[in-house]
Amino acid sequence: MNLEPLMLLLQGRRLVLHTGTTKTGSTSLQQYLFTNHAALKAQGILYPTSISTSDQPKHQWLIECLARRNQAALTSACEELGTELDEQVHTVVLSTEGLYNHFYDYIHTAKEGLAQLCASIDVEVVVVFRNPFDFSLSSFKQGLINPPNSWSPYYGHTRSLEQLCSDPKWLQRLNFQDFVETWRQLVGKEGMRCFPYSKAILKTLCKHILDFDVSSEHQLPNANRSVGLLGVDLLHVLNRHQLPSDPRALAIEHVRSIDALKKTPFTHSKISHAIVDRHCTASLLKLCATTPELTSMVGSHLQALSAWAGGMPIGFKRDRTDTAFLLCLEAGFIEEQTILLVQSLRLFGGCYSACPIYLVCPRPHRAPSKRTIQTLELMGTNVIIENLNHSLDHFPYANKAYALAHLEEHSNEQQIVFLDSDTLVLDEPRSLAISHQHDFAARPVDVRGICSSPLDNHYHSYWEQLCALAGVSIEALPCILTGVSKEAIHANYNGGLLVVRRSLGFGSRWQNLIEQAWEKEITPKPGNFWGSGQSTFAVAAHSISSRVHLLPEGYNIPLHSPAPGLDLPPPEHPKHAHYHWLLETEHFSQGLQQLLRLELSSHCRTFLQAMKPFQHRRGGSHTGFPESPQSAA
């Protein structure tokens, strides 16, 4: 297929190709763009109207050209399109569901031409997905409603859902991964934009793709109403009679009216549910690992699986209303880590999957990229960029205290769970729920390091000074064992996972202590403030309450080797892992191997095995003094 006419016409311009699975708001978006054609064009965005109509405001001609290699149709469409172009147009948007629905009808014959087009102009493909259970249902019902045509044997059909799900060619429509990866090869990683369907999809697409604001009053219209069980039964009867087009359209409206009288939903049977699961789940998890924007959609898929299995729903049904998660977010390697951590929490966090996640950037000059923020917002997080770390800008480990103090004032949940960005949630972490008998929860530090011990005087002076600052005796710190080396120490906790009761106002106490320690130069080692993030947490916590719950060994699992020579067996019931640098390119195979040693669900294993190494490298150790490298933790 020769796409040179389109290529020449759009030289120097951006081409956005929008598509989506059934029932993802495509028709409503097309109607909105068609209606607002003039306003869009005034901003340099052209949604062509000369090659679409008000009752069919989409660009299905593109599929006619690609699938049937219709060169004459392409030439004619380009001539029409040329009449609408002028110098102010910098972006052209073409929209049709056919780009997805007829993917296998055109991709093999048109791939070479599409590759040339994408190599010569700026092409961006935007696709909206529903989770496969919802998509297969809506595709089945839409096929009953649509009139028969030469394009699809699945329009105007009389099959059952089970029969349709057993058709290998129809099942190709559920191969989201193949569509994304094929187009990604053509347009590049940045040119492939994926979105999960939501009721706000119109505003989301206009904002993120076109930088065009949809008024807050605008609601997404229900352009294609679905039908329930009664409607499905009536449509099967109607389609067996093969009525002409006009009488059939009238009959469809009567079916919709009758269906509205009895609102019994049409759902999957055990057979169709099992087929969709077997065909889709593994590929969805693999796609999610490379396309984090789809995390919410994959989460809803896993939720449906879990509900059918009769277990705890996984995904976005919010079971815990008392917990908020807090992460620090900054530019650089932390962006990749944060995206992966949020994915793991949303996918495998069980009753915590839908909890609020706050991502706080306390140093605005190190704010993450716009693309990262967009991706994280699509996963339902709240990104907060505020200048909170005034005093210790050079010591990134202090960010935790500043972020926690801020969130305690601006959230309502009973407990806040802080997670280091270089960690992963592997399974539902039920032990995060602190009882009325505790105010904090954490794991001990892995090895002794800078800790004080009741058995000797190493670092004793440092801890005594720190405790004096907080107005507490060192004896108030209970004796505990380190998590890995099992050495006796005065309490010190690993900062990778911390649970705090919000009502204590602990964050400001921690923040004040770390600032005072810096000001008075109370350091673990001369000229080195490293380790003070954890030590000040422990002292500040015990200056308020001695009620600290030690989490089981399946939490904050250290995947690096913190104690050389200790070949420890994997902990039972792994819930949360701390991988440190092990997912960077040079250490990735080791990190993945360490993760897969753990006893994980098949879904979690599939997701982890599809991960890619991080592109960024983390910085070096931080002494806490201005001359140290600037990075974040």
Side-chain angles (χ1 to χ4, degrees):
M1 181 71 195
N2 183 3
L3 298 179
E4 188 174 357
L6 188 61
M7 193 185 312
L8 294 174
L9 189 65
L10 299 181
Q11 280 294 326
R13 295 183 171 93
R14 172 185 175 223
L15 172 63
V16 175
L17 299 174
H18 163 260
T19 189
T21 57
T22 308
K23 297 295 181 184
T24 54
S26 296
T27 302
S28 297
L29 175 69
Q30 290 156 2
Q31 289 176 346
Y32 181 84
L33 297 178
F34 188 95
T35 303
N36 291 275
H37 165 81
L40 284 163
K41 192 169 183 181
Q43 295 193 26
I45 302 166
L46 175 64
Y47 187 77
T49 57
S50 61
I51 42 180
S52 61
T53 60
S54 58
D55 60 326
Q56 290 287 321
K58 58 184 178 180
H59 305 108
Q60 189 67 12
W61 60 268
L62 183 60
I63 309 307
E64 169 76 19
C65 298
L66 294 176
R68 297 183 175 174
R69 308 185 73 175
N70 192 331
Q71 203 69 43
L74 177 66
T75 301
S76 175
C78 286
E79 290 174 355
E80 292 286 340
L81 178 58
T83 63
E84 297 188 70
L85 287 172
D86 56 38
E87 291 184 355
Q88 70 174 357
V89 172
H90 54 73
T91 298
V92 175
V93 181
L94 301 179
S95 176
T96 173
E97 280 187 357
L99 201 64
Y100 180 83
N101 290 335
H102 296 287
F103 174 65
Y104 292 102
D105 295 327
Y106 69 79
I107 192 59
H108 300 297
T109 58
K111 189 173 184 179
E112 184 177 344
L114 288 169
Q116 293 174 350
L117 177 71
C118 296
S120 62
I121 65 172
D122 180 13
V123 179
E124 191 169 335
V125 175
V126 178
V127 58
V128 183
F129 291 110
R130 288 187 85 112
N131 83 69
F133 290 121
D134 290 345
F135 169 48
S136 52
L137 277 177
S138 59
S139 182
F140 165 76
K141 290 189 284 187
Q142 196 63 42
L144 287 171
I145 293 170
N146 288 350
N149 64 36
S150 60
W151 272 105
S152 174
Y154 309 113
Y155 288 171
H157 68 83
T158 58
R159 304 188 208 188
S160 68
L161 179 58
E162 291 79 9
Q163 290 172 330
L164 210 58
C165 285
S166 299
D167 185 326
K169 188 173 180 181
W170 185 83
L171 278 174
Q172 285 182 323
R173 292 189 175 195
L174 302 183
N175 195 342
F176 300 171
Q177 185 182 21
D178 195 19
F179 179 87
V180 172
E181 295 301 334
T182 300
W183 271 104
R184 190 172 276 159
Q185 291 173 10
L186 295 172
V187 300
K189 182 179 179 180
E190 295 300 313
M192 186 73 216
R193 304 295 302 275
C194 301
F195 293 85
Y197 172 75
S198 72
K199 291 183 178 179
I201 191 62
L202 174 59
K203 294 178 69 173
T204 299
L205 292 181
C206 287
K207 174 184 175 182
H208 292 329
I209 303 301
L210 303 179
D211 198 23
F212 183 82
D213 288 329
V214 176
S215 66
S216 58
E217 295 80 17
H218 187 88
Q219 299 294 320
L220 186 65
N222 189 2
N224 284 321
R225 289 186 294 113
S226 187
V227 293
L229 179 61
L230 178 58
V232 167
D233 289 342
L234 292 174
L235 287 169
H236 273 123
V237 174
L238 178 64
N239 287 344
R240 284 199 292 270
H241 289 277
Q242 300 181 349
L243 296 178
S245 177
D246 288 344
R248 185 181 187 279
L250 181 61
I252 291 289
E253 290 308 309
H254 288 304
V255 167
R256 290 186 187 277
S257 299
I258 297 170
D259 179 72
L261 299 176
K262 187 175 182 181
K263 298 180 180 179
T264 304
F266 178 81
T267 60
H268 276 283
S269 68
K270 288 185 178 180
I271 295 174
S272 63
H273 184 276
I275 294 172
V276 173
D277 174 22
R278 185 172 64 248
H279 188 77
C280 295
T281 302
S283 64
L284 269 185
L285 287 163
K286 293 174 184 176
L287 175 61
C288 187
T290 59
T291 315
E293 296 88 349
L294 296 179
T295 299
S296 63
M297 184 264 292
V298 180
S300 67
H301 178 81
L302 295 182
Q303 176 186 344
L305 281 179
S306 186
W308 271 82
M312 176 69 68
I314 298 174
F316 287 159
K317 181 180 179 182
R318 183 171 175 172
D319 292 321
R320 294 210 67 98
T321 60
D322 60 352
T323 302
F325 286 82
L326 170 63
L327 289 69
C328 287
L329 174 63
E330 292 194 341
F333 68 92
I334 282 186
E335 294 180 68
E336 292 179 282
Q337 292 179 339
T338 301
I339 288 172
L340 182 60
L341 172 54
V342 172
Q343 282 188 279
S344 71
L345 177 56
R346 291 298 193 213
L347 294 175
F348 309 117
C351 62
Y352 289 97
S353 294
C355 287
I357 301 176
Y358 296 93
L359 309 174
V360 180
C361 176
R363 304 186 294 181
H365 64 278
R366 292 189 54 82
S369 70
K370 181 180 179 181
R371 184 70 177 263
T372 292
I373 293 173
Q374 290 178 354
T375 298
L376 290 165
E377 287 178 342
L378 286 172
M379 290 192 275
T381 66
N382 304 284
V383 179
I384 301 169
I385 301 175
E386 289 216 23
N387 190 11
L388 305 174
N389 186 352
H390 305 289
S391 305
L392 293 172
D393 180 82
H394 48 272
F395 187 57
Y397 297 108
N399 284 346
K400 299 178 184 181
Y402 291 104
L404 180 59
H406 178 81
L407 190 59
E408 284 178 338
E409 291 185 14
H410 296 88
S411 65
N412 299 313
E413 287 72 24
Q414 296 175 27
Q415 64 177 38
I416 297 173
V417 179
F418 181 90
L419 297 176
D420 268 358
S421 59
D422 56 350
T423 66
L424 286 172
V425 175
L426 305 171
D427 195 8
E428 183 178 66
R430 282 179 173 257
S431 295
L432 293 182
I434 50 179
S435 70
H436 67 278
Q437 298 176 333
H438 298 106
D439 294 315
F440 302 93
R443 283 290 298 156
V445 292
D446 300 326
V447 296
R448 177 172 175 179
I450 65 164
C451 298
S452 172
S453 171
L455 305 180
D456 57 47
N457 292 322
H458 295 311
Y459 296 107
H460 195 78
S461 174
Y462 164 68
W463 284 85
E464 277 195 325
Q465 293 179 69
L466 201 57
C467 287
L469 268 185
V472 64
S473 168
I474 193 171
E475 282 72 30
L477 305 182
C479 180
I480 63 174
L481 295 180
T482 57
V484 175
S485 59
K486 305 304 179 185
E487 300 170 88
I489 60 169
H490 288 115
N492 195 13
Y493 307 104
N494 190 296
L497 191 166
L498 304 168
V499 187
V500 176
R501 190 178 299 283
R502 187 184 64 84
S503 60
L504 296 175
F506 168 75
S508 57
R509 176 76 65 96
W510 186 13
Q511 174 184 318
N512 291 337
L513 182 59
I514 201 170
E515 287 179 348
Q516 290 177 45
W518 163 257
E519 183 181 341
K520 295 182 181 297
E521 299 185 13
I522 298 176
T523 60
K525 298 177 181 179
N528 193 333
F529 206 47
W530 186 87
S532 297
Q534 293 183 157
S535 61
T536 52
F537 173 87
V539 172
H542 284 283
S543 73
I544 293 178
S545 169
S546 61
R547 307 193 313 165
V548 180
H549 171 58
L550 294 182
L551 293 167
E553 290 188 348
Y555 290 75
N556 210 5
I557 302 166
L559 294 186
H560 63 319
S561 297
L566 286 179
D567 187 15
L568 300 176
E572 295 182 351
H573 312 300
K575 306 296 184 182
H576 171 260
H578 203 153
Y579 58 82
H580 297 271
W581 57 84
L582 290 178
L583 295 186
E584 295 172 11
T585 301
E586 59 268 43
H587 306 289
F588 184 76
S589 60
Q590 178 190 355
L592 185 58
Q593 182 181 17
Q594 290 289 81
L595 281 167
L596 296 179
R597 286 179 67 224
L598 304 174
E599 186 178 344
L600 306 172
S601 69
S602 60
H603 291 161
C604 187
R605 284 182 172 274
T606 298
F607 176 78
L608 294 175
Q609 288 171 326
M611 291 189 309
K612 303 297 182 185
F614 292 144
Q615 299 300 308
H616 295 84
R617 296 185 61 184
R618 55 191 280 152
S621 298
H622 295 275
T623 65
F625 289 85
E627 63 270 21
S628 64
Q630 293 289 309
S631 187

